[in-house]
Amino acid sequence: VTVSVLYWMLRRGFCRLALSASVAECRDAVQFTDRAWQRVVAVNALEAAQETRALRMSIVPGGCQGFSYQFEFDDEVDPEEDIVFVNDSVPAPPRIDDEGNEVDSNDIRQSRIVIDRESLKKLQGASIDYHSELKGSAFVVIGNELVDQACACAASFSLQSAKTR
Protein backbone atom coordinates (compact mmCIF):
# COMPACT_ATOMS: atom_id res chain seq x y z
CA VAL A 1 0.00 0.00 0.00
CA THR A 2 1.39 3.39 -0.91
CA VAL A 3 1.37 6.74 0.88
CA SER A 4 -1.52 8.04 -1.25
CA VAL A 5 -3.66 5.10 -0.15
CA LEU A 6 -2.58 5.66 3.45
CA TYR A 7 -3.86 9.23 3.35
CA TRP A 8 -7.22 7.94 2.12
CA MET A 9 -7.28 5.50 5.04
CA LEU A 10 -6.89 8.37 7.50
CA ARG A 11 -10.65 8.47 8.13
CA ARG A 12 -10.59 4.77 8.96
CA GLY A 13 -8.26 5.28 11.95
CA PHE A 14 -5.12 4.00 10.27
CA CYS A 15 -1.84 5.83 10.11
CA ARG A 16 -0.84 8.68 7.84
CA LEU A 17 2.79 8.65 6.78
CA ALA A 18 5.06 11.29 5.40
CA LEU A 19 7.34 8.96 3.45
CA SER A 20 7.15 5.30 2.40
CA ALA A 21 5.82 2.81 4.89
CA SER A 22 2.82 0.59 4.47
CA VAL A 23 -0.38 0.25 6.44
CA ALA A 24 0.63 -3.33 7.21
CA GLU A 25 3.91 -2.14 8.73
CA CYS A 26 2.02 0.27 10.97
CA ARG A 27 -0.62 -2.28 12.00
CA ASP A 28 2.02 -4.93 12.71
CA ALA A 29 4.01 -2.51 14.85
CA VAL A 30 1.37 -0.90 17.05
CA GLN A 31 -2.32 -0.74 17.89
CA PHE A 32 -4.13 1.71 20.17
CA THR A 33 -6.83 0.96 22.71
CA ASP A 34 -10.03 2.98 23.00
CA ARG A 35 -8.82 4.17 26.43
CA ALA A 36 -5.67 5.64 24.86
CA TRP A 37 -7.63 7.51 22.17
CA GLN A 38 -10.16 8.74 24.74
CA ARG A 39 -7.46 9.94 27.14
CA VAL A 40 -5.79 12.01 24.41
CA VAL A 41 -9.15 13.72 23.72
CA ALA A 42 -9.81 14.18 27.45
CA VAL A 43 -6.41 15.77 28.16
CA ASN A 44 -6.71 18.07 25.16
CA ALA A 45 -10.21 19.13 26.32
CA LEU A 46 -9.06 19.61 29.91
CA GLU A 47 -6.13 21.78 28.82
CA ALA A 48 -8.17 23.59 26.12
CA ALA A 49 -5.65 22.45 23.51
CA GLN A 50 -6.21 22.25 19.77
CA GLU A 51 -7.44 18.92 18.40
CA THR A 52 -4.27 18.82 16.30
CA ARG A 53 -2.15 18.43 19.44
CA ALA A 54 -1.00 14.84 19.63
CA LEU A 55 0.29 12.38 22.14
CA ARG A 56 3.90 11.65 21.15
CA MET A 57 5.32 8.24 22.00
CA SER A 58 9.02 7.72 21.57
CA ILE A 59 11.59 5.17 22.61
CA VAL A 60 14.61 6.84 24.18
CA PRO A 61 17.90 5.55 25.56
CA GLY A 62 17.82 5.22 29.32
CA GLY A 63 17.06 3.13 32.36
CA CYS A 64 18.85 0.08 33.63
CA GLN A 65 17.95 -2.04 30.58
CA GLY A 66 18.85 0.46 27.85
CA PHE A 67 15.57 1.93 26.55
CA SER A 68 12.39 3.44 27.94
CA TYR A 69 9.07 4.62 26.55
CA GLN A 70 8.42 8.34 26.71
CA PHE A 71 4.99 9.97 26.37
CA GLU A 72 4.34 13.70 26.03
CA PHE A 73 1.85 15.97 24.31
CA ASP A 74 3.19 17.85 21.31
CA ASP A 75 1.87 20.46 18.88
CA GLU A 76 4.63 19.87 16.34
CA VAL A 77 4.86 17.09 13.76
CA ASP A 78 7.91 16.57 11.56
CA PRO A 79 6.57 15.26 8.23
CA GLU A 80 9.98 13.74 7.44
CA GLU A 81 10.36 11.78 10.69
CA ASP A 82 6.94 11.32 12.28
CA ILE A 83 4.11 8.94 11.64
CA VAL A 84 0.72 10.31 12.64
CA PHE A 85 -2.03 7.91 13.72
CA VAL A 86 -5.47 9.50 13.62
CA ASN A 87 -8.83 8.39 14.96
CA ASP A 88 -11.67 10.67 13.80
CA SER A 89 -14.41 9.05 15.86
CA VAL A 90 -13.54 9.43 19.55
CA PRO A 91 -16.45 10.43 21.81
CA ALA A 92 -15.85 13.71 23.62
CA PRO A 93 -15.52 13.41 27.41
CA PRO A 94 -18.49 14.42 29.58
CA ARG A 95 -18.55 18.07 30.59
CA ILE A 96 -19.46 19.60 33.94
CA ASP A 97 -22.46 21.96 33.92
CA ASP A 98 -22.85 25.08 36.08
CA GLU A 99 -24.30 23.00 38.91
CA GLY A 100 -21.37 20.56 38.98
CA ASN A 101 -23.19 17.69 37.25
CA GLU A 102 -21.61 15.53 34.56
CA VAL A 103 -23.35 15.98 31.22
CA ASP A 104 -22.68 13.52 28.43
CA SER A 105 -21.65 15.08 25.17
CA ASN A 106 -22.68 13.68 21.82
CA ASP A 107 -19.67 15.33 20.17
CA ILE A 108 -17.16 13.27 18.25
CA ARG A 109 -13.55 14.41 18.36
CA GLN A 110 -10.34 13.66 16.54
CA SER A 111 -7.47 12.07 18.44
CA ARG A 112 -3.86 11.92 17.23
CA ILE A 113 -0.88 9.85 18.33
CA VAL A 114 2.56 10.48 16.83
CA ILE A 115 5.48 8.05 16.75
CA ASP A 116 8.81 8.88 15.14
CA ARG A 117 10.14 6.42 12.54
CA GLU A 118 13.07 5.22 14.67
CA SER A 119 10.79 4.41 17.59
CA LEU A 120 8.32 2.62 15.32
CA LYS A 121 11.15 0.31 14.20
CA LYS A 122 11.46 -0.80 17.85
CA LEU A 123 7.78 -1.80 18.10
CA GLN A 124 6.22 -5.07 16.97
CA GLY A 125 2.78 -6.29 17.99
CA ALA A 126 2.54 -3.59 20.66
CA SER A 127 -0.55 -1.87 22.03
CA ILE A 128 -0.61 1.61 23.51
CA ASP A 129 -3.10 1.82 26.35
CA TYR A 130 -3.97 4.17 29.19
CA HIS A 131 -4.02 2.64 32.68
CA SER A 132 -5.44 4.26 35.77
CA GLU A 133 -4.76 2.60 39.13
CA LEU A 134 -4.45 3.57 42.79
CA LYS A 135 -0.72 4.14 42.40
CA GLY A 136 -1.22 6.49 39.45
CA SER A 137 -2.21 6.67 35.83
CA ALA A 138 -0.17 6.67 32.66
CA PHE A 139 0.05 5.71 29.02
CA VAL A 140 1.71 2.30 28.69
CA VAL A 141 3.03 0.04 25.94
CA ILE A 142 1.90 -3.57 26.22
CA GLY A 143 3.09 -6.65 24.35
CA ASN A 144 6.03 -5.28 22.37
CA GLU A 145 7.37 -8.48 20.81
CA LEU A 146 10.81 -6.92 20.25
CA VAL A 147 11.46 -6.49 23.98
CA ASP A 148 14.04 -8.96 25.27
CA GLN A 149 14.06 -8.08 28.98
CA ALA A 150 12.38 -5.49 31.17
CA CYS A 151 13.56 -4.20 34.52
CA ALA A 152 11.60 -5.16 37.64
CA CYS A 153 9.87 -1.79 37.85
CA ALA A 154 8.92 -1.99 34.13
CA ALA A 155 10.43 1.45 33.48
CA SER A 156 13.03 0.28 30.98
CA PHE A 157 13.70 -2.59 28.63
CA SER A 158 16.25 -4.11 26.27
CA LEU A 159 15.56 -5.08 22.68
CA GLN A 160 16.17 -8.44 21.07
CA SER A 161 19.24 -8.50 18.87
CA ALA A 162 18.65 -8.65 15.12
CA LYS A 163 19.89 -12.28 15.14
CA THR A 164 17.19 -13.47 17.56
CA ARG A 165 14.27 -11.80 15.75
Side-chain angles (χ1 to χ4, degrees), residues 6-7 14 18 22-24 36 51 56 66 78 82-83 89 96 106 113 118-120 131 136 147 157:
L6 289 174
Y7 188 78
F14 295 109
S22 71
V23 170
E51 263 189 7
R56 176 177 294 279
D78 181 347
D82 293 335
I83 299 165
S89 58
I96 307 298
N106 293 328
I113 299 175
E118 286 305 308
S119 295
L120 190 66
H131 284 192
V147 169
F157 59 94

Side-chain angles (χ1 to χ4, degrees), residues 113-133:
I113 299 175
V114 174
I115 303 175
D116 65 90
R117 291 181 177 283
E118 286 305 308
S119 295
L120 190 66
K121 291 177 186 176
K122 297 176 177 94
L123 294 171
Q124 177 69 40
S127 292
I128 294 180
D129 195 5
Y130 181 77
H131 284 192
S132 183
E133 302 171 355

